[in-house]
């Protein structure tokens, strides 16, 4: 089975939620997900690929695959933070 960038991002977000971390910051998508994909899945995608997928997920305002029912945006400096709200 070929692992997609979306599956890697979903897995990363799910793991963050399992660890009690519902805050996602922009640097996590740009750096940590890239490392996560390489380390745990042996798959390399560039940061813009994950960012594009993340933007698409945020537009729908929910991620049913991992029980996220709302994504709240906090504009903080120096980066944006998103709060994943689950069931």
């Amino acid at each position: 089975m070929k692992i997609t960038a979306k599956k890697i991002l979903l897995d990363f977000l799910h793991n963050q939620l399992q660890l009690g971390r519902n805050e996602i910051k922009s640097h996590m998508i740009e750096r940590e997900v890239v490392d996560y994909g390489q380390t745990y899945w042996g798959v390399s995608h560039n940061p813009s690929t994950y960012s594009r997928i993340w933007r698409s997920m945020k537009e729908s305002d929910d991620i049913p695959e991992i029980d996220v029912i709302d994504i709240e945006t906090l504009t903080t400096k120096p980066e944006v933070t998103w709060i994943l709200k689950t069931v």
Side-chain angles (χ1 to χ4, degrees), residues 6-75:
K6 182 176 181 179
K7 170 65 175 137
I8 292 169
L9 180 56
L10 284 169
D11 193 54
F12 176 83
L13 295 172
H14 178 71
N15 284 338
Q16 292 299 302
L17 291 169
Q18 293 295 312
L19 293 170
R21 301 177 188 151
N22 68 334
E23 290 188 7
I24 303 299
K25 296 179 182 278
S26 54
H27 81 270
M28 295 170 81
I29 304 300
E30 293 286 326
R31 287 186 244 148
E32 293 180 26
V33 177
V34 173
D35 292 342
Y36 182 83
Q38 185 64 47
T39 302
Y40 293 100
W41 293 97
V43 176
S44 183
H45 292 287
N46 62 43
S48 63
T49 299
Y50 290 115
S51 292
R52 187 172 46 256
I53 295 166
W54 176 235
R55 276 192 305 273
S56 174
M57 286 180 179
K58 291 184 306 183
E59 287 173 5
S60 67
D61 211 29
D62 69 341
I63 309 171
E65 297 94 336
I66 57 173
D67 296 329
V68 172
I69 57 171
D70 189 36
I71 302 170
E72 179 183 338
T73 303
L74 300 177
T75 306

